[in-house]
Amino acid sequence: MSRPTILGYARPDGKVGIRNHLLVMSTVVCSSFVARRIADQVQGAVAIENPFGCGQLEPDLEVTRRTLIGMAKNPNVGGVLVVGLGCEQIQADDLVKEIEKTGKPVEKVVVQEVDGGTPAAIEKGVTLLRRMAEDVLSQKPEEVDVSNLVMGVECGGSDATSGLASNPVVGYASDKLIDLGGTVILSETPEMIGAEEILARRAVSREVGDRIIRVVRKWVDLAASHGVDLVGTQPAPGNIAGGISTIEEKSLGAIIKGGSRAIQGVVDYAEEVKGKGLWIMDTPGYDIMSVVGMVAGGATLVVFTTGRGTPTGNPIAPVIKVTANPFTAKKMRENMDFDASTVTLGQETIEQAGEKLFKLIMDVARGKPTRAELLGFREFVIHKIIPSF
């Protein structure tokens, strides 16, 4: 039996993407408008509007820097235009130097260095990006082995059907991808509270298991340091209305989407995942922040389960929306890519639905657009730990 293949864009650094975006990235919120206007005028371009980049203390500044560099290095990006203001903490030159290490084309525009201010900066940026587009967008995808795929898994707007059906279906697909040599990233460490011991027992080493325990319990301690009982504030009102009773119940349902294979390691938010198999990324439970972290860490595709219905996407990675709630599948049919309510209703087994989902994942990895892509959902938020100054 032949192995599955995907259509990939081979990058100079050896990584393989499944999309071929031109990325316009602002270094700071003050240059975000310019970045957006440039991207709007060039076919194939997407903009990342960084809400931070200045007035930040460590460790937030490093998190922002790492996230921006990671998004630019993601193999779904074929070329990058960095748009800076000039006086911000995160300088355009610093980002360009890191991005250049990938071998992909990168240019910069710094507003304060252009004669004529923002109108002239936009004009310069459009010229540079159109020139870059001639080469980047002419690249054709090639048949590559499925082991090149890096898949992030996420859940948001969860209800009782998430843990019972949609997450197990995604978990089946995760196991299958890992068995074929691919990579899966499981995030949202606050939503592992109460299940951390189960995950630790699946770690490849004692050291990895101990770190799983630490990163999960860190969130409880962080909330307590601000006088907040994290266990007492979860599940969220929407989760409760959807039939989830405790944070432990929510966590047990959430971790299933990562499948059942051994956990190879734990990485920080937006840190690059450099190995195969199943990895945990330490991210918030906030959906968009979590997805951004995984994509900055190298995920080229995200599978996102939702019981209540969440339409969000990502600027550079396709996000496949899965629901096992039959009412959500019907009411939000224009936003959902995969209906797993057949499992909820007893019409299919987890394995049967999992095989169908895996086929969809392969189709998306071969170029089929997701609903979030078609509808233009490109949300971008970076994790923030401490106040700005």
Side-chain angles (χ1 to χ4, degrees):
M1 184 177 178
S2 61
R3 287 175 58 85
T5 60
I6 60 177
L7 286 177
Y9 296 88
R11 304 304 179 192
D13 60 357
K15 297 175 184 174
V16 176
I18 59 170
R19 295 294 186 267
N20 193 33
H21 294 296
L22 286 167
L23 180 62
V24 185
M25 183 171 67
S26 66
T27 61
V28 66
V29 66
C30 313
S31 60
S32 289
F33 176 80
V34 174
R36 170 63 63 188
R37 289 295 300 273
I38 293 170
D40 285 346
Q41 297 180 61
V42 180
Q43 184 178 359
V46 293
I48 283 180
E49 299 178 60
N50 173 25
F52 303 125
C54 208
Q56 288 188 285
L57 298 169
E58 298 290 0
D60 277 342
L61 188 62
E62 174 55 30
V63 169
T64 299
R65 183 185 295 111
R66 187 168 66 233
T67 304
L68 295 177
I69 292 170
M71 294 292 285
K73 286 185 172 183
N74 187 294
N76 281 356
V77 173
V80 184
L81 176 66
V82 178
V83 182
L85 177 61
C87 57
E88 62 271 29
Q89 284 177 295
I90 295 180
Q91 289 286 299
D93 282 338
D94 295 336
L95 297 185
V96 168
K97 288 177 183 177
E98 290 298 319
I99 300 165
E100 284 178 337
K101 294 177 182 178
T102 66
K104 66 180 66 174
V106 55
E107 297 283 356
K108 69 167 183 173
V109 173
V110 179
V111 174
Q112 293 172 353
E113 296 176 0
V114 179
D115 184 16
T118 56
I122 292 168
E123 183 179 355
K124 179 180 178 180
V126 169
T127 299
L128 289 171
L129 197 63
R130 283 177 177 163
R131 191 179 304 151
M132 187 186 299
E134 293 177 6
D135 292 328
V136 172
L137 299 185
S138 65
Q139 182 178 1
K140 303 299 182 183
E142 303 170 354
E143 295 279 352
V144 296
D145 192 77
V146 66
S147 60
N148 288 284
L149 189 62
V150 182
M151 183 173 80
V153 291
E154 180 75 20
C155 56
S158 299
D159 66 7
T161 68
S162 299
L164 290 171
S166 57
N167 287 342
V169 169
V170 173
Y172 178 92
S174 294
D175 282 345
K176 184 161 185 173
L177 178 59
I178 290 169
D179 292 344
L180 288 166
T183 305
V184 173
I185 306 173
L186 174 66
S187 62
E188 301 178 291
T189 35
E191 297 192 2
M192 300 174 189
I193 293 170
E196 63 269 32
E197 298 281 357
I198 296 172
L199 292 170
R201 288 196 291 270
R202 290 168 48 194
V204 294
S205 68
R206 176 69 177 270
E207 290 74 21
V208 172
D210 288 345
R211 189 168 183 208
I212 292 171
I213 299 294
R214 288 198 304 272
V215 297
V216 174
R217 294 181 180 173
K218 172 196 72 176
W219 290 93
V220 178
D221 295 339
L222 179 62
S225 70
H226 293 279
V228 177
D229 177 10
L230 186 60
V231 176
T233 60
Q234 286 286 336
N239 301 143
I240 295 170
I244 297 175
S245 60
T246 66
I247 190 170
E248 291 83 3
E249 181 184 329
K250 184 178 180 181
S251 295
L252 289 169
I255 66 172
I256 300 174
K257 62 185 182 289
S260 61
R261 302 301 183 250
I263 298 169
Q264 303 299 313
V266 180
V267 295
D268 291 330
Y269 183 89
E271 181 183 350
E272 183 181 355
V273 173
K274 296 182 178 180
K276 299 291 187 179
L278 177 61
W279 291 74
I280 288 177
M281 179 176 286
D282 183 18
T283 77
Y286 179 25
D287 310 335
I288 301 170
M289 281 185 183
S290 177
V291 169
V292 166
M294 290 190 290
V295 173
T300 50
L301 177 148
V302 177
V303 180
F304 189 132
T305 68
T306 178
R308 308 277 291 177
T310 304
T312 55
N314 183 266
I316 63 171
V319 178
I320 298 173
K321 286 298 169 60
V322 179
T323 187
N325 185 320
F327 301 103
T328 301
K330 182 179 180 180
K331 289 199 300 182
M332 296 190 68
R333 57 190 174 277
E334 296 302 321
N335 297 100
M336 298 297 114
D337 296 283
F338 188 83
D339 180 5
S341 67
T342 52
V343 176
T344 307
L345 299 172
Q347 298 166 352
E348 285 187 309
T349 65
I350 289 169
E351 292 76 15
Q352 289 169 329
E355 285 293 331
K356 291 180 179 178
L357 175 61
F358 190 79
K359 181 182 182 303
L360 175 61
I361 291 168
M362 293 299 98
D363 289 343
V364 171
R366 295 183 64 84
K368 179 179 180 177
T370 64
R371 296 297 177 91
E373 288 179 294
L374 291 171
L375 294 172
F377 285 97
R378 295 174 176 172
E379 289 77 9
F380 180 81
V381 181
I382 299 174
H383 177 35
K384 194 171 188 298
I385 305 167
I386 58 177
S388 299
F389 69 96

